[in-house]
Amino acid sequence: MATTSPHQTQSVFQALADPSRREILRLLRQGEMTAGDIAAHFDFSRASLSHHLNLLLQAELVRVRKDGQRRIYSLNTSLFEDLLGFVFRFIEGSSD
Amino acid sequence: MATTSPHQTQSVFQALADPSRREILRLLRQGEMTAGDIAAHFDFSRASLSHHLNLLLQAELVRVRKDGQRRIYSLNTSLFEDLLGFVFRFIEGSSD
DNA sequence: TAGATATTTAGCATATCATCTAAATATGGC
DNA sequence: GCCATATTTAGATGATATGCTAAATATCTA
């Protein structure tokens, strides 16, 4: 696994501090999803979701690509699978 | 390593979201310290440090015991060594 | 007991965060 | 080009977080 640059440490921890964002990450562990698909799992507005996704992108925890009018989000697995898998398994006791 | 209860997940991630608190945890990896010793490493007031320490205690990331007028803080290593050691090593690239 | 030291608690100001609605941008299909 | 759909951006607002100073609590020593 690659070691990441220190400057993004804060954005990673900050991104993980919100329960909705952690839930987004958990959803994405099952595979990539459009913004709309993700939104369907939450009560808050799409604008709010977009904001959460932006923070996750900044932290490089997720990636995005365009497919027509949709944007498809996926985990940045290189960082996520190793780190977050570990975190959820041992801290939350509820990974996949 | 013991699995922890889900209810403290939020307090753990929240505690880790602040850079000063992460720095406190890093300091404590070298051994237990009094509140005053910890305070000497930071610019903010002792009242603020006390607040940070409280959040770390709530998250069960640190423990405290009394020794006379001092309070001696230490890592709750059962949670910390496994989880945070991993996090700092791979995310921050700067653990020992 | 009085005074000094170590630390926390209380109360307050300011900064940051999560969320909303409304408007903007981009794409697809007719 | 026009309209519908998918999503983001902008701007505002209430809640939460971080920091301060002052006061309270606890312990040690003379």
Side-chain angles (χ1 to χ4, degrees):
Chain A
M1 172 184 169
T3 309
T4 38
S5 54
H7 80 276
Q8 62 180 27
T9 303
Q10 180 55 25
S11 63
V12 171
F13 281 108
Q14 196 129 295
L16 294 175
D18 183 85
S20 300
R21 288 193 291 268
R22 293 197 303 275
E23 183 63 30
I24 291 169
L25 293 173
R26 258 189 302 270
L27 285 172
L28 290 176
R29 294 192 84 188
Q30 290 153 238
E32 56 182 27
M33 298 173 80
T34 68
D37 288 341
I38 299 170
H41 286 78
F42 294 98
D43 285 338
F44 48 69
S45 71
R46 304 205 166 204
S48 296
L49 174 65
S50 203
H51 178 240
H52 285 308
L53 290 171
N54 247 324
L55 293 178
L56 290 169
L57 280 169
Q58 276 177 235
E60 296 182 41
L61 289 165
V62 305
R63 290 196 238 91
V64 67
R65 67 186 160 85
K66 273 184 145 171
D67 176 41
Q69 10 175 211
R70 315 216 162 132
R71 302 217 188 164
I72 302 185
Y73 287 86
S74 57
L75 287 182
N76 183 347
T77 51
S78 64
L79 187 61
F80 184 81
E81 277 302 325
D82 300 82
L83 168 68
L84 275 255
F86 187 98
V87 170
F88 286 129
R89 202 153 41 246
F90 291 108
I91 288 284
E92 294 200 276
S94 67
S95 74
D96 49 345
Chain B
M1 170 183 168
T3 308
T4 38
S5 54
H7 80 275
Q8 61 181 29
T9 302
Q10 180 54 24
S11 62
V12 171
F13 280 108
Q14 197 130 295
L16 294 175
D18 183 85
S20 300
R21 287 193 292 268
R22 292 198 303 276
E23 184 62 31
I24 292 170
L25 293 173
R26 258 189 302 270
L27 285 173
L28 290 177
R29 294 192 85 188
Q30 289 151 240
E32 55 182 28
M33 297 173 80
T34 67
D37 289 340
I38 298 171
H41 286 78
F42 294 97
D43 285 338
F44 48 70
S45 70
R46 301 197 169 210
S48 296
L49 173 66
S50 203
H51 178 239
H52 285 307
L53 290 171
N54 248 323
L55 293 178
L56 290 170
L57 280 169
Q58 276 177 236
E60 297 183 38
L61 289 164
V62 304
R63 290 196 238 90
V64 67
R65 66 186 162 85
K66 273 183 145 171
D67 176 42
Q69 9 173 213
R70 316 218 160 128
R71 302 217 189 165
I72 302 184
Y73 287 86
S74 56
L75 287 182
N76 182 348
T77 52
S78 65
L79 187 61
F80 184 81
E81 276 302 325
D82 298 82
L83 169 67
L84 274 256
F86 187 97
V87 170
F88 285 129
R89 199 152 44 245
F90 290 107
I91 289 284
E92 295 202 276
S94 67
S95 73
D96 32 350

